[in-house]
Amino acid sequence: MDCKEALPLLHEYMDGGLEGKESVQLKEHLLACPDCRRRLQEFEKVEALVAAWPHPPVPDGLTQRIMDALPPAKRQNRGYRWIRKHPAASVAAVFFAVMLSSFMTAWDNDRDLIVKGTDLESVVIQGHTVVVPAGKKVSGNLTVEGGTVQVDGDVEGNVVVIDGSVVQASTAHISGQVKQIDEAFSWMWYKMNQWVSQVSDTP
């Protein structure tokens, strides 16, 4: 062991925390090295002076005044503790809240008239009313959002009306089902099913 290796170990040696092989090597080095022995003696003198230094008196009530001056410890609310204990459920709840918020925003924004279908050539749009005239035929499904569907002719498929109404004349013929979605929850369920079907159809 040389002086560079011995110097960092002197304080640990003085504290009695140096053991094993390093302790033996340091003792052997101190026997052979007068410089390191002198350093050790200087360290011991400084430590003795510090230990002999009189401790200043602590004023009465100082500890209590310091404790009173400290800000009160923040109490974690139960919700925060529950989130830390159940991270997966918390993520699912946040995801549901975000999805619900986006669906409700879309529900509020879906006030414009939207007409969807594979065959819209026979359809007549008058303001917010979608008319299938008498003697005309729509091949396939007809979906209308934010308006009224007036069926006087034929629809060979389903008629879906979201946030609107269906008026069917006595001369009309609809081969499929008539679905009227007025509530936000029903609309959200319809949108989710539509999204799932689009994803499943994606190659």
Side-chain angles (χ1 to χ4, degrees), residues 1 10 30 34 54 57-58 61 80 94 105 115 123 127-128 137 142 144 164 171 174 194 197:
M1 179 180 288
L10 290 178
L30 289 172
V58 178
Y80 180 73
V94 170
T105 301
V115 182
V123 171
H128 275 68
K137 182 174 66 175
L142 177 62
V144 176
T171 57
I174 300 173
Q194 194 178 48
S197 62

Side-chain angles (χ1 to χ4, degrees), residues 114-188:
I114 299 173
V115 182
K116 298 177 184 177
T118 55
D119 178 19
L120 299 178
E121 291 181 6
S122 301
V123 171
V124 177
I125 298 174
Q126 300 172 346
H128 275 68
T129 303
V130 178
V131 181
V132 180
K136 299 291 184 180
K137 182 174 66 175
V138 174
S139 299
N141 297 333
L142 177 62
T143 302
V144 176
E145 298 184 33
T148 301
V149 179
Q150 181 178 332
V151 182
D152 297 330
D154 297 338
V155 178
E156 293 184 349
N158 298 326
V159 175
V160 179
V161 183
I162 302 167
D163 195 23
S165 59
V166 179
V167 178
Q168 187 174 349
S170 58
T171 57
H173 174 70
I174 300 173
S175 62
Q177 295 180 340
V178 177
K179 297 179 183 177
Q180 191 169 334
I181 302 170
D182 291 325
E183 298 178 359
F185 181 79
S186 300
W187 178 87
M188 183 170 60

